[in-house]
Structure formats: C-alpha cells, structure tokens
Amino acid sequence: MAQWTSAVGAAQLARLLKSQQDRPAGPGSRRPPAYRALADGIRLLVLEGRVPVAARLPAERELALSLSVSRTTVAAAYEALRAEGFLESRRGAGSWTAVPAGNPVPARGLEPLPPEALGSIIDLGCAALPAPEPWLTRAVRGALEELPPYAHTHGDYPAGLPALRSMIAERYTARGIPTMPEQIMVTTGAMGAIDAICHLFGGRGERIAVESPSYANILQLMREAGARLVPVAMAEGLAGWDMDRWRQVLREAAPRIAYVVADFHNPTGALADEDQRRRLVEAARSAGTVLVADETMSELWLDDDVVMPRPVCGFDPAGSTVITVGSASKAFWAGMRIGWVRAAPDVIRSLVAARAYADLGTPVLEQLAVNWLFSTGGWEQAVELRRHQARENRDDLVAAVRRELPEWEFSVPQGGLTLWVRTGGLSGSRLAEAGERVGLRVPSGPRFGVDGAFEGYVRLPFTVGGAVAEEAAARLAAAARIVESGGTVGVEGPRTFVA
C-alpha cells in the first residue's frame, strides 16, 4: 500500500522551485552543485508546508524534463533527501515527502508559537499584540454580570446574540451605512466568517480572485476548500489596487468571489482610496462577483493625518454585491475570537442555516464581553491603546531594520500591523529557515502568494518594540549573513531573551 496521501505534479513543483533558483546569489556566496540546490529547494518547500508531507513527488524523468536538468541531477537530489529523512521511497509506489524523526510537521499557515517557546525565540510569525489591559479584564467582568439571563437558555445563537447584532448594526449606521440587525451574523473570528462565506459561495473548483500578495491563512483556507485562486497584483508601493488588472480579471476569469483587504492590507499595509473602492464594487457588480471586504484592520490607523475612506460596503449599502467581514481579533486581542459578517438579509439567513452543520454558534461569554466594550466606550479606549502600542513598535522596528539591513527596501504604512520587506535578492524561504537557527521566526514572502510568488520578501509585524525589536533585527541580519554565505557561517544557539 502506498504511503503517500497526495501528489505534486512535475510542472507544479518546477514552478515552486523556479522562484527560489532564479533569485540572484548574495555577494561572496558559493553556488552549490545542481543536485544540492534542487534538494535544498524541495526541503524548504516541505519545511514551509508549501509541499505537504506525504505528497508523492514526480518521477525522476518527469521532473528532469520540467526543470531542464539531467535525470542524474534529480536522482542525486532525491537520494540526498532520502539520506536526510525528507523523502521515502518504495519500488512500485514512488517517492513521497517526509520529515525526519524529531522534526515537527510543518504548518501550512502562520500559527503562533506556544508560550513556552517565547523565551528563546522571537516570534514574528503572528501579527497580533498582547491584550490591551485593563480593558480585557473589565470586559470579561462586565460579561459575567450580564451572563445569568443567558445561562437559563440553551445558549445556542447561530446568528449571534441579538444585543450584539444590534450593536454592530448601530455601529455601521453611525459610519453612514444604514444597517439592520438582520444584516449581521456573529462568527468565531474573521476566519470563521470567511470560511462560512467560501462554503456558501465558493464550492470546490470555483474561482476566487485574491490580491497578490494576500493574507496567508486566508489563502490556505481557500485552498483547503478546493478553490482555484486567481491572483491580482497589487499596485506598486502602498498605492492600493491596480484597477486595470482587477477589471481584466473580473471580466475574463469571472470569479465567483473576490477577497480584498482595503484597509491597511495584510501584508503590504496599503490603504485603497475611495475611488478604487467605488470602481471595484462597480466592476464586481458588473461581473456578478461577490466581493468579500475584510476590514479587520480598519481601525488601526497609526498616523494622525490619516483620512479613512468610506468602507467598501458604503458603495453597496444594500449588501447585494459586497459582504463585509469584521473582527475584534486584530483591533482588540487575537484571543477574543469574535467576528461578524454584514450582508443582505437573505445572505445572512443562508449563512445561519448552513451553520447548523458547522460550529452551531459563537461562545456567549465572549459575545457579551465585546458587547460590553461597544456599549460602554471601552472599545474606543482599548483600540486607542492598541494604536499607541503598534505605532511605537512600528517606529522601533523600522529604525532597527534600516540600521541592521540598510539595503533592504520597504515603504512604511500609515496603519495596520505589518511591514512588507524586499530582501535585497535573498530568498525569503532561506531567510526563514536560517532565522530558526538564530532564534527568530519570520514568515517568508511565498506564504502570501500563489505558486511560489514573492520569494524575495518577508513580512515583519509590529508586535515587538524597544530592545526586542533591536534584537529581532540583529537576528534577521545574522540570518541574512547565513544565507549570503551559503549556510556555512557558524551559528550560536539562540539566546534567552525576555522583554
């Protein structure tokens, strides 16, 4: 019986490898033998989760043809991977990817490190800040005071607590977008909201247009749902969307769904302007595409001179084209798993009906806590504290990276939680691997793209500041030196570092 559970075609693997191999070598680096470069490339794809564990690799002859190399080169690369524990083979069954004994199975998203690992590793993988106290504690206490009447019920509210639905609707109305509670469903975070939307509108094989780059965990969620992702390149710098490209994709590919982050885009930090929002809604309506607007970062402007455009749903107030997703997780705390969907009432009814076969509902206590924050003014004060933390961290991180890695390029966003950095020609995947050796966890650019795009980038979140930001930049520079030297520089073990 074969030990593999999926397969990677020769053309697909060649595309994934090509972006790594085409990057220019760093100054003074030694080019490894062709078989070694191929083995390293496949190993990196496995370690990053972009090629799953237990995936059958193409036959040697097929991969050699796709890569335009000799079969001997592929055979030597496979043999090296087998010796290192990253490949298993059996006559008649082929070869499939593996991980050596003692190595963790790679994640395919950006899961946070467990708390016990944070003493020796600086985690830049998760774009989330600690809770803005004392507001978390106050919200939970307020929720406990409101809990007794709900405790006398069954506790299942598939659409969300009526009080919270009304409060969210009132907040949209206050922003100039008249909204009824019937247009709101409360979800388990923004991920829960988008998962429900994808299952309702984007069945297996459906096309979904996504920004390129886009949020890694959402891309993986859509892949797992069987979607066919259609990438649409962002405009240069922080200029938002390239509307010519969007119109072309919506007209020619006719995707069922388009997923966008208009407010301090993750990972680039771009803010789409009002004209871009209007034109994208019009183009989606003409194409019959459901436009999913993720506004989880919309309250995280960091500079005083930022003028926020109207929300995307402001150009489709009835919700016939735009479905809006919001969340408490970025603006407040990632541990507060409360999200919401704003859409037309019939869409909300369909989402609620489908929930009977998913998670049934969202925890009552957390809903009460968010409702307490909204109704008491605690939300605004907590978010202001969050902006202050993120602003200081952003400025500290920017200064540290510019000092340690002056040749790296980036634009400083006016909001959000992430910095999108071009790495001076170095492989982001290799930087991520080298970072693990020096006690730094950093996500590489390809996690945010489709089929190996953005190999020359990394994403740095505004989650550390002060001395920790300086240490993170120093470790990132050390990782860059390892990559530039071909991995031959001696590396000390990660130092224990307590903020």
Side-chain angles (χ1 to χ4, degrees):
M1 180 178 176
Q3 301 298 307
W4 49 272
T5 57
S6 62
V8 181
Q12 179 188 7
L13 184 56
R15 286 196 304 272
L16 290 169
L17 290 164
K18 188 175 185 298
S19 61
Q20 296 177 341
Q21 295 169 348
D22 282 351
R23 291 287 161 188
S29 64
R30 295 185 296 276
R31 189 174 297 277
Y35 85 90
R36 184 69 260 174
L38 176 55
D40 286 348
I42 294 173
R43 177 171 54 85
L44 280 171
L45 292 173
V46 173
L47 288 172
E48 283 215 322
R50 290 191 285 142
V51 168
V53 175
R56 186 179 187 274
L57 295 186
E60 294 171 2
R61 186 184 304 278
E62 294 175 11
L63 186 57
L65 288 172
S66 291
L67 294 174
S68 298
V69 299
S70 71
R71 183 177 176 180
T72 302
T73 296
V74 177
Y78 279 13
E79 183 58 37
L81 289 168
R82 276 190 288 269
E84 295 163 5
F86 286 94
L87 196 68
E88 295 181 9
S89 304
R90 193 171 69 227
R91 185 178 298 277
S95 299
W96 56 91
T97 57
V99 291
N103 276 41
V105 175
R108 303 195 72 186
L110 298 176
E111 292 80 5
L113 284 174
E116 61 269 19
L118 296 178
S120 60
I121 298 178
I122 298 176
D123 184 10
L124 296 185
C126 185
L129 290 161
E133 289 288 25
W135 297 107
L136 175 61
T137 299
R138 292 178 181 177
V140 173
R141 287 174 178 166
L144 288 171
E145 292 177 0
E146 299 292 331
L147 183 61
Y150 296 94
H152 293 292
T153 74
H154 50 62
D156 286 336
Y157 296 88
L161 294 183
L164 182 55
R165 296 177 72 195
S166 295
M167 183 62 68
I168 294 171
E170 289 176 13
R171 290 174 65 84
Y172 277 108
T173 300
R175 294 166 68 187
I177 306 154
T179 303
M180 303 178 296
E182 292 79 7
Q183 291 178 261
I184 301 296
M185 181 177 82
V186 181
T187 63
T188 307
M191 291 287 289
I194 294 169
D195 182 57
I197 293 165
C198 286
H199 279 89
L200 181 63
F201 290 100
R204 186 164 295 274
E206 290 280 4
R207 294 186 180 93
I208 300 180
V210 295
E211 296 150 326
S212 184
S214 187
Y215 179 35
N217 286 342
I218 294 294
L219 294 180
Q220 191 57 38
L221 181 155
M222 293 172 175
R223 292 187 187 103
E224 297 291 345
R228 297 164 60 190
L229 300 183
V230 182
V232 186
M234 298 287 289
E236 288 296 320
L238 298 178
W241 300 322
D242 184 325
M243 286 309 306
D244 289 338
R245 288 174 174 166
W246 269 106
R247 280 195 299 270
Q248 180 181 2
V249 166
L250 294 178
R251 182 176 63 250
E252 296 178 0
R256 186 70 181 93
I257 299 173
Y259 169 76
V260 297
V261 184
D263 304 300
F264 309 119
H265 173 260
N266 185 354
T268 68
L271 178 65
D273 63 35
E274 195 154 304
D275 183 60
Q276 289 172 334
R277 296 170 190 234
R278 178 188 297 105
R279 292 163 63 194
L280 185 56
V281 171
E282 292 171 352
R285 184 181 294 117
S286 297
T289 297
V290 176
L291 185 60
V292 180
D294 182 339
E295 59 174 27
T296 54
M297 298 280 192
S298 63
E299 296 188 66
L300 290 178
W301 62 86
L302 305 183
D303 295 336
D304 293 336
D305 59 348
V306 175
V307 178
M308 291 299 296
R310 270 193 293 170
V312 176
C313 61
F315 302 97
D316 179 49
S320 59
T321 296
V322 178
I323 298 178
T324 302
V325 171
S327 172
S329 298
K330 293 297 186 185
F332 186 75
W333 182 47
M336 187 68 76
R337 304 305 305 159
I338 298 295
W340 52 86
V341 177
R342 181 198 180 276
D346 62 316
V347 173
I348 295 298
R349 286 193 294 270
S350 296
L351 289 170
V352 171
R355 200 168 194 183
Y357 310 101
D359 62 358
L360 295 178
T362 303
V364 169
L365 188 63
E366 293 184 26
Q367 292 188 71
L368 290 172
V370 172
N371 193 59
W372 183 92
L373 288 165
F374 284 158
S375 60
T376 62
W379 177 268
E380 285 72 21
Q381 296 183 65
V383 171
E384 182 56 41
L385 175 60
R386 171 66 76 239
R387 292 191 196 107
H388 176 74
Q389 293 171 325
R391 184 185 307 115
E392 288 194 340
N393 288 353
R394 178 197 64 180
D395 295 346
D396 290 346
L397 186 64
V398 164
V401 173
R402 281 177 171 163
R403 181 174 59 253
E404 295 285 346
L405 295 153
E407 70 279 11
W408 287 19
E409 302 172 27
F410 53 85
S411 299
V412 181
Q414 292 187 293
L417 291 172
T418 56
L419 193 68
W420 186 238
V421 182
R422 192 191 302 268
T423 58
L426 299 179
S427 162
S429 298
R430 285 173 164 76
L431 283 166
E433 184 190 32
E436 297 282 351
R437 297 168 61 185
V438 297
L440 179 72
R441 186 170 183 258
V442 58
S444 65
R447 286 187 175 273
F448 304 88
V450 177
D451 274 353
F454 307 110
E455 186 62 53
Y457 289 82
V458 294
R459 189 196 73 171
L460 306 179
F462 310 144
T463 53
V464 296
V468 185
E470 294 177 3
E471 177 69 12
R475 294 186 187 187
L476 191 56
R481 290 192 293 273
I482 293 171
V483 175
E484 288 174 342
S485 67
T488 58
V489 171
V491 184
E492 298 179 1
R495 296 169 287 175
T496 299
F497 194 87
V498 180

